[in-house]
Each structure stands twice: as structure tokens, then as C-alpha cells.
Amino acid sequence: MRAKTIAATILALSAWLVLAAPSARADDSLKRIIDQKALTVGVALNPPWILKKADGKFAGYDVDLTNALASDLGVDLKLVEVPWNDLKTRLLKGDFDMIAAGYASTPERAREVVFSDKTGTADIRMVATIASLGKKPGKALRAPGYKIAVLSNSTDEAAAKEAFPKATILSFDNTADVFAAIIGGEAQAMVATSPTPQMAARLYDAKLTMVGGPLLRTPEAFALRPDDVRLIQYVNNWIGARTADGTIAGVRRYWFGGFKWLSRFDTSAKTEPAKPKQ
């Protein structure tokens, strides 16, 4: 209780300081959201960060976090779904206030957007078909042409190319198609951010198996426009406060600590072949 009281005080004080700052008139990003009574967030389907239920409503780790953020701001949450590769462009265009979709903070992306303080850290790992590994998994993985499915323009893709230089990398525009590629037989393995590989191995334990340890560890954060300084300050203060009171850790335990949430969703991957990006 004391931790939550302290966190609430920090948030209230940070909001007051932001709005009272002499330069606040030069940057109305936080005031804009409060006046519009809505925090608009760009998302792309990427379980378990962003999922869609049968009724069309969103759920997931980043949905829970941004819901809590909007609630503390006293505004509604508006989620705008766009293709993964359009997230950054649409953010910079002004179509939403921030990105929250398991979007890893990287130096390359930070050239154009500003990342908040991290909300967590994730491992990028591989899951492969048992049949493709044979009796000598190491040899199979090093063989030229071994087909690995990844999300296009992602840290998963970069990690796969670095770890398996002789492999054929099949990149797709969304996580559902990555999943479908390995289940449908188009790919022999997939590289993705945890817990997606573990989820795949759990759902298809007769066909898939985890391979090795983490290929890369990445920080997760919200992405915002560089000129929205006041909003960035508030979001960072919010992350600090909700980290201190255990809110973020609690949400993370639910979505990443197990798979009880699977029963709430249709997690069956479509088996029709998806077209990889060339």
C-alpha cells in the first residue's frame, strides 16, 4: 500500500511539474492528450504483447500497460492497428502518440524515434521442427539453405542473420505469418522474441522443439516522437513509479511467466502458406 501511495505521489508531482514548467507552452504534447481525453497508441499483432480476441478487442502485455498509463493520465486508451513495418512511419506522421507492440529499443530505430525507459528485457530464441534437426542438429543448422522464418525488419531478423549466416531467411510482415510458415512446413525453424518460441513449442510439442539459448537480449520500450518532450518525460516518470510499486512486474509475470492466458484466445496458426518478403 505504501509503495502505491508513493508511486501515485510521484506521478501527480511529475504531471504538475511538466505542466507548470516555463517551457511547457513550447511543447503541448502532454496537454494535447489530456485535452483530447485520449492516449492513441499504435499497435501491430505480436503475441503476447498484442493479441486480438474473438470479439475484435485487443489484449496483451502492452495493452495492459498502456491501459494503466491512460488510466493514470485520466484519459481513454485508443489502439490503432497497423502493419508492423508501418509503425514507425505512422508514428512520425502523427497518426498516434506512441508505439507499444513489443517494439525493441535499438540504436538504429533511435535515430528517428525516442524510446522511453525500458519496461522489460526479452530474449530472442529459436524453435525448430524436430524433423529438420535430425540426429545432428548442429550440422543441420549450419547447412546452407536451412529455412528460418522471422518478422521483417525486426531485431529477430537481425539476430537470425547474425547467428545463421548460411541460412535462407524468410521474412514476413506479421507474427501470424511467421508462425504459419513453420507450422505449414514452409520454414524449418523460426527466430522470435520470447515467449513466442516457447509458446509455439508448447502448442506443437510433437513437432517443434526449442534450440539452444538466447541469440540476443533486447530492451523493450515505448517509442515516441522526438519533439514530444513533455509526454516522454511523463511516460518515463510513469515507468519509474509503476516499476517501484510492482505494477509492471505483475503484468509481466502474467503474460511472460506462464501460458494460462492461452485459454482465452484462439491461438491456432493458419496453415495456408504466407508469402515471405523478398
Side-chain angles (χ1 to χ4, degrees):
M1 181 64 71
R2 183 171 180 271
K4 290 187 178 295
T5 301
I6 293 173
T9 302
I10 292 173
L11 288 172
L13 180 59
S14 66
W16 180 84
L17 288 173
V18 165
L19 294 174
S23 59
R25 285 175 293 181
D27 175 13
D28 65 350
S29 55
L30 184 61
K31 185 176 184 298
R32 178 188 73 227
I33 291 169
I34 294 173
D35 288 348
Q36 293 177 351
K37 299 182 179 179
L39 174 67
T40 306
V41 178
V43 300
L45 294 181
N46 187 22
W49 293 270
I50 304 292
L51 302 99
K52 187 177 284 187
K53 296 185 287 187
D55 60 5
K57 294 181 179 180
F58 292 101
Y61 172 73
D62 273 333
V63 176
D64 284 354
L65 288 191
T66 50
N67 256 319
L69 173 58
S71 177
D72 283 331
L73 279 168
V75 301
D76 294 330
L77 176 65
K78 179 181 178 181
L79 299 176
V80 178
E81 182 184 358
V82 300
W84 176 267
N85 285 321
D86 291 347
L87 283 169
K88 183 175 64 177
T89 300
R90 295 281 296 273
L91 171 69
L92 296 175
K93 184 180 176 182
D95 289 347
F96 30 80
D97 303 307
M98 56 190 283
I99 296 170
Y103 206 62
S105 171
T106 68
E108 293 75 22
R109 289 171 177 166
R111 294 171 186 166
E112 298 179 78
V113 302
V114 171
F115 284 98
S116 68
D117 292 342
K118 70 177 183 179
T119 60
T121 303
D123 292 335
I124 295 176
R125 299 191 61 180
M126 170 184 272
V127 62
T129 59
I130 297 171
S132 74
L133 297 175
K135 295 182 179 180
K136 296 182 179 180
K139 183 177 180 180
L141 293 172
R142 292 191 298 271
Y146 190 80
K147 296 179 180 179
I148 303 174
V150 297
L151 182 63
S152 175
N153 295 319
S154 66
T155 49
D156 305 336
E157 183 176 33
K161 288 180 177 179
E162 176 70 21
F164 305 101
K166 294 182 179 180
T168 296
I169 305 299
L170 306 177
S171 59
F172 298 86
D173 285 334
N174 60 73
T175 303
D177 285 343
V178 174
F179 204 92
I182 187 173
I183 299 304
E186 185 176 358
Q188 295 163 294
M190 78 172 181
V191 168
T193 302
S194 295
T196 302
Q198 294 92 326
M199 179 179 68
R202 180 187 178 95
L203 290 171
Y204 296 89
D205 58 348
K207 181 175 183 176
L208 306 178
T209 185
M210 296 294 298
V211 178
L215 302 177
L216 183 68
R217 179 162 290 173
T218 60
E220 297 170 14
F222 301 132
L224 302 97
R225 286 189 294 276
D227 53 337
D228 282 353
V229 177
R230 296 296 178 251
L231 177 58
I232 294 166
Q233 290 174 339
Y234 182 85
V235 170
N236 284 337
N237 287 332
W238 182 86
I239 292 171
R242 293 312 179 208
T243 297
D245 72 4
T247 297
I248 292 179
V251 175
R252 197 164 190 86
R253 276 195 301 273
Y254 176 75
W255 290 104
F256 296 92
F259 297 101
K260 292 181 179 179
W261 52 267
L262 279 173
S263 61
R264 297 169 51 197
F265 303 93
D266 176 10
T267 53
S268 58
K270 56 185 180 181
T271 55
E272 64 269 28
K275 186 177 180 181
K277 291 176 70 67
Q278 302 298 322

